[in-house]
Amino acid sequence: MRPGSISRVLALSTALAGLTAAAFVTPAAAEKLPTVDRAPAPSVAAAPQNFTHPGVNLNTAQLDFVRGKVQAGAQPWKGAYDQMMASKYASLSRTAKPRAVVECGSYSNPNYGCTDEREDAIAAYTDALAWYITRDDRYAKKSIELMDAWSGTIKDHTNSNAPLQTGWAGSSWPKAAEIIKHVYANGSGTWANSARFSTMLRTVYLPEIINGSNSNGNWELTMMEAAVSVSVFLDDKASYDKAIGKYLVRVPAYIYLSSDGDLPRTVPSQNLDTRAKIVSYWQGQGTFVTGLTQETCRDFVHTGYGISSVGHVYETARIQGQDLFPQVGERLRQALGFQAKYELGAESVPSSLCGGTVTRGLGPITEVGFNALNTRLGYAMTNTQRLTEQGRPAGTNNLFVAWETLTNASNPN
């Protein structure tokens, strides 16, 4: 055999030996995954030249659509409006309960002002909606009273749940403030302390949320929802871009599509650089199917938080002139459909999914995403539609989601 042939045979033998050895490497001993394969290339975010106001989750055309439907007594909007007005959040006798320091531990234990802050923020938003629909100034003034009470008091959030708590409350305050500042106070009304409220959002809320979180994905998604919303209210382009950028990395790391490959995408800062680490982070789920989320096998309640924030940011960005469908639209559609299917019990849970058992409880979180993708873009979403219509009127989860049948059902604007 010629020397060249001998070299080729030896090279081939070496390669085959390497492949054979690799086939028997245990997962625990596997080499780290290449970072480039795990992390998506971040998309460039660009804040609008001028922000649209009101423009957090709802714009003027959407609000006018809702007002017209309620005034006409049309369903499901009138029923959803009646539900909202009968809730504790619309009470004109509500008294704010602000605290200088809101301390929230894991699962809100301890709970020093956590529930009060979230619910006062939802109430301020509820009152703002009530004013827009009725033009009864008592509701605008109550919304202002609640916002003023907190902006004149709160200084900090502390303990382990501080970032999440700030995200929850920080998602509701700007929704209220956008309507009050840019419609009520831009017309016949006044809001003397609006600048102080802006200072509160900039100094107490934004620093706690803008840098994101490496906890379960619903944390960072809720925090980025709040950061985007606060940035719109503050006309803060730099913070808006930063929050959208983090969102565009987190969403693909939260919702799996088969096009991602054998494993889900990851957030680089989490260092999920082996299969074992990724499976552990995905609640022990090692079989990945389109529509699965990072928290599906934890429970549907937390999964619902994450999906809700994906939809809220998508909608606010659309109002601000950014089309994020290419980056997140299909993921949102598939996540809604996948979770809705099992929430409804439309199919039995296979043993390959969460060991054959899921913990249901998705919550009132489907209206925004369903409207954005079905009403506006025309995508058929059979299971999501069934779950959405079955749950109407969608109320509130008492954290950061409220009255979305009223605001988003079949809203084409």
Side-chain angles (χ1 to χ4, degrees), residues 279-354:
V279 169
S280 176
Y281 186 62
W282 282 64
Q283 319 298 323
Q285 177 69 13
T287 301
F288 302 100
V289 292
T290 291
L292 182 78
T293 80
Q294 183 256 314
E295 295 184 278
T296 297
C297 293
R298 179 187 186 186
D299 57 59
F300 279 19
V301 174
H302 290 88
T303 298
Y305 299 164
I307 294 173
S308 178
S309 289
V310 174
H312 289 163
V313 175
Y314 176 90
E315 185 71 355
T316 294
R318 182 193 68 85
I319 292 168
Q320 298 304 328
Q322 282 187 316
D323 179 12
L324 300 184
F325 183 87
Q327 294 92 340
V328 304
E330 183 63 10
R331 292 182 192 273
L332 176 58
R333 186 175 79 90
Q334 293 292 347
L336 283 166
F338 185 83
Q339 265 63 222
K341 176 174 63 177
Y342 294 112
E343 180 78 12
L344 288 164
E347 288 186 14
S348 59
V349 182
S351 60
S352 60
L353 175 64
C354 311

Side-chain angles (χ1 to χ4, degrees), residues 153-215:
T153 306
I154 190 168
K155 302 298 180 185
D156 198 11
H157 296 87
T158 63
N159 215 317
S160 59
N161 261 31
L164 183 60
Q165 170 71 20
T166 309
W168 281 336
S171 295
S172 295
W173 288 127
K175 290 189 287 188
E178 280 284 293
I179 294 171
I180 296 301
K181 178 178 180 179
H182 295 287
V183 186
Y184 174 73
N186 200 33
S188 59
T190 58
W191 183 13
N193 291 316
S194 64
R196 189 178 75 189
F197 185 82
S198 295
T199 298
M200 176 191 78
L201 293 182
R202 185 177 298 283
T203 61
V204 178
Y205 286 80
L206 198 55
E208 187 71 45
I209 55 180
I210 192 62
N211 292 317
S213 167
N214 286 325
S215 184

Side-chain angles (χ1 to χ4, degrees), residues 346-411:
E347 288 186 14
S348 59
V349 182
S351 60
S352 60
L353 175 64
C354 311
T357 303
V358 295
T359 303
R360 296 176 176 85
L362 200 58
I365 60 89
T366 63
E367 290 277 14
V368 172
F370 177 67
N371 184 66
L373 301 175
N374 176 264
T375 302
R376 199 174 291 123
L377 298 180
Y379 284 95
M381 301 171 69
T382 305
N383 286 318
T384 305
Q385 180 169 356
R386 181 181 163 198
L387 182 63
T388 301
E389 293 176 349
Q390 180 178 293
R392 286 176 175 168
T396 175
N397 67 358
N398 302 306
L399 298 174
F400 69 105
V401 178
W403 324 125
E404 293 181 348
T405 295
L406 174 65
T407 56
N408 291 87
S410 301
N411 196 326

Side-chain angles (χ1 to χ4, degrees), residues 32-326:
K32 289 185 177 181
L33 300 166
T35 302
V36 68
D37 291 341
R38 299 294 91 226
S43 300
V44 176
Q49 186 63 34
N50 295 293
F51 286 102
T52 296
H53 299 291
V56 173
N57 281 270
L58 295 166
N59 60 23
T60 301
Q62 290 171 299
L63 287 162
D64 286 343
F65 172 86
V66 172
R67 185 172 187 239
K69 290 295 186 182
V70 172
Q71 289 179 335
Q75 299 296 352
W77 304 275
K78 181 58 166 62
Y81 168 78
D82 290 341
Q83 175 198 45
M84 180 183 80
M85 297 303 288
S87 75
K88 64 182 179 180
Y89 296 108
S91 173
L92 290 171
S93 63
R94 185 179 191 88
T95 300
K97 298 178 180 178
R99 296 177 67 98
V101 177
V102 174
E103 182 180 355
C104 307
S106 181
Y107 293 94
S108 293
N109 183 23
N111 182 341
Y112 298 135
C114 315
T115 301
D116 293 336
E117 180 188 28
R118 295 192 303 263
E119 293 193 351
D120 278 349
I122 291 173
Y125 174 52
T126 301
D127 289 327
L129 285 174
W131 171 79
Y132 197 98
I133 293 168
T134 65
R135 290 305 197 265
D136 183 336
D137 284 357
R138 293 179 301 166
Y139 290 103
K141 290 175 181 178
K142 177 58 69 172
S143 182
I144 290 170
E145 177 187 314
L146 295 169
M147 290 190 285
D148 282 354
W150 281 90
S151 71
T153 306
I154 190 168
K155 302 298 180 185
D156 198 11
H157 296 87
T158 63
N159 215 317
S160 59
N161 261 31
L164 183 60
Q165 170 71 20
T166 309
W168 281 336
S171 295
S172 295
W173 288 127
K175 290 189 287 188
E178 280 284 293
I179 294 171
I180 296 301
K181 178 178 180 179
H182 295 287
V183 186
Y184 174 73
N186 200 33
S188 59
T190 58
W191 183 13
N193 291 316
S194 64
R196 189 178 75 189
F197 185 82
S198 295
T199 298
M200 176 191 78
L201 293 182
R202 185 177 298 283
T203 61
V204 178
Y205 286 80
L206 198 55
E208 187 71 45
I209 55 180
I210 192 62
N211 292 317
S213 167
N214 286 325
S215 184
N216 280 300
N218 80 85
W219 277 52
E220 184 162 87
L221 288 167
T222 300
M223 291 162 68
M224 290 310 103
E225 175 186 346
V228 166
S229 301
V230 166
S231 297
V232 169
F233 182 73
L234 297 176
D235 292 304
D236 185 337
K237 296 180 182 180
S239 294
Y240 179 90
D241 280 348
K242 184 173 182 177
I244 290 289
K246 285 187 172 294
Y247 168 85
L248 291 177
V249 172
R250 174 61 70 173
V251 175
Y254 192 71
I255 302 168
Y256 175 82
L257 295 180
S258 60
S259 58
D260 294 333
D262 293 338
L263 293 171
R265 293 177 182 264
T266 63
V267 175
S269 61
Q270 293 189 270
N271 298 313
L272 299 175
D273 52 8
T274 69
R275 177 183 173 82
K277 288 182 182 179
I278 292 170
V279 169
S280 176
Y281 186 62
W282 282 64
Q283 319 298 323
Q285 177 69 13
T287 301
F288 302 100
V289 292
T290 291
L292 182 78
T293 80
Q294 183 256 314
E295 295 184 278
T296 297
C297 293
R298 179 187 186 186
D299 57 59
F300 279 19
V301 174
H302 290 88
T303 298
Y305 299 164
I307 294 173
S308 178
S309 289
V310 174
H312 289 163
V313 175
Y314 176 90
E315 185 71 355
T316 294
R318 182 193 68 85
I319 292 168
Q320 298 304 328
Q322 282 187 316
D323 179 12
L324 300 184
F325 183 87

